[in-house]
Amino acid sequence: MSERLVVIGSQWGDEGKGKITDYFACRADMVVRYQGGNNAGHTVAFDGNKYSLQSIPSGVFNPRTVNVMGNGMVVNPESVVAELQKLHDRGITDYQLYISDRAAMVMPWHSALDGAYESQKGGALIGTTKKGIGPTYSDKYARIGLRMGDLLEPEYFAERLRAALEVKNMELEMLGLPKYGFQEVYDRYMELAAILGPRICDTSALINEAIREPGKKILFEGAQGMMLCCDHGTYPFVTSSSPSSSGVCVGAGVAPKWVDNVLGVAKAYCTRVGSGPFPTELHDEIAHEIRERGHEYGTVTGRPRRVGWFDAVVARYTGMLAGIDNWALMLFDVLSGLDKIKICTAYECDGEVLTAPPSTISRLEKCKPVFIEMEGWKEDITGVRDFEELPEAAKAYVRKIEELTEIPVGIVSVGPDRTQTITLSESLRRF
Ligand code: GDP
Ligand code: IMO
Ligand code: MG
């Protein structure tokens, strides 16, 4: 039987999922994205080069690895073609990539609607990536969306497109946005179909075939993070999919029994891009220091990321919801040089002590973090490859996170490069 590993973001995204996926992809037979779309920005760094991937799985740099964009994703064919072109321009031409015929397709009006919905929100702006993610998922569940497989049947695609345009043009007109003509969209999407068509197939069949094969290694690459989950995150300041391990089942077409090894990617501190509550957020000089040292600017939008201390309330919550077996503790090197480092262990809200995030924003915004303070360390740790060689204070910080979350730290990352990775967990070392 195969071995599976699910890599998920456990905070508000940008935890370093791209790095970790690429690290394992060198050994994985298959890498599967199962939710989200080109709102993701996954950075992969090796051999002195840095790449940013939006919707293409991070296994694309290993020619042996089969990369799959699963049915739970929202796929923008225009942006996939542009992303592939960018990879080609940088010499990445030898890869395997398949796209689910059931994946929801982002249409040109979706990003326009994303922007329009945002501008109507006034002060309650989500700060989306404006890639049309929410509107595409809405249309999927309203059952008026188009899917990637439709591109393989031009007549059926034309029929679905006409039906969608009837509804969407009315909505666009109401919002004062330009309408779309059938022919221009049809022609462009047929051009895109000519390029991507050979990659579109029943990917669940492909994945399940690999699952049954002895010795195969399959990695599921989550996008975003658990606190941006539409069900469990800081709703409504969330994305429109389920970045959790449970998203794998629906989003890749995989039965729950195969989701059994979950790696929660967590920064050694916290960041958030876009609006919404962030209990441990810092507004002082330390935030500035961490932001600059960690290059905390959005991969997709370039926006400065908000920075805060590690939140063990969030970690326990996401650890429970996603069944996290190990943490990959990322950007640990960024904390070097700080005198003291804080960890949030609980929230105080209206005189009550909370050990899990409340469901409403109004209550979460009132939460004050309860901190413990840990000693910092001064040493540069970017060259360390053995856990025992880390400064004592750094080791104590890792052990404290394990103690507070009751989940072992399986990986400590001390730099963006593939090689700057310390693997503590025996099972992860074997994967
Ligand atoms: P993702 O969306 O979860 O894949 O994360 P992003 O790629 O958006 O953001 C993570 C950033 O941190 C990228 O710029 C990575 O190159 C970088 N990174 C990842 N791990 C480390 C690390 O251990 N140390 C440092 N300094 N940077 C890291
Ligand atoms: P990766 O995979 C960080 C945030 C946006 C916004 C909210 C909704 O790189 O970790 P959307 O466009 O999805 O409707 O925006 O979610 N967001 C992310 N933040 N990392 C991401 O992806 C994100 N994808 C979406 O900033 O607050
Ligand atoms: Mg990112």
Side-chain angles (χ1 to χ4, degrees), residues 12-14 17 39-42 126-129 224 238-239 273 303:
W12 283 275
D14 301 328
K17 299 173 293 293
N39 50 346
H42 293 184
I126 297 172
T128 74
T129 57
Q224 289 79 54
V238 292
T239 191
V273 57
R303 292 176 288 178

Side-chain angles (χ1 to χ4, degrees), residues 114-122 125:
D114 200 345
Y117 295 160
E118 280 281 85
S119 58
Q120 285 175 338
K121 290 195 183 97
L125 211 77

Side-chain angles (χ1 to χ4, degrees), residues 283-309:
H283 297 281
D284 56 9
E285 188 49 37
I286 295 178
H288 177 74
E289 214 178 309
I290 293 178
R291 184 177 302 112
E292 293 312 310
R293 198 126 29 91
H295 307 290
E296 293 295 0
Y297 293 88
T299 320
V300 176
T301 56
R303 292 176 288 178
R305 294 178 185 143
R306 299 155 66 195
V307 172
W309 294 120

Side-chain angles (χ1 to χ4, degrees), residues 8-9 13-21 39-45 50-53 58 221-224 265 267 269 271 293-300 305 329-334 382 412-417 420-421:
I8 60 157
D14 301 328
E15 298 91 347
K17 299 173 293 293
K19 168 179 165 161
I20 289 299
T21 303
N39 50 346
H42 293 184
T43 314
V44 171
K50 219 171 196 183
Y51 304 87
S52 165
L53 297 164
S58 301
E221 177 183 14
Q224 289 79 54
V265 187
K267 274 180 179 160
Y269 46 96
T271 64
R293 198 126 29 91
H295 307 290
E296 293 295 0
Y297 293 88
T299 320
V300 176
R305 294 178 185 143
L329 195 66
M330 311 300 291
L331 291 105
F332 199 39
D333 52 302
V334 174
T382 53
V412 176
S413 174
V414 292
D417 195 83
Q420 293 174 299
T421 312

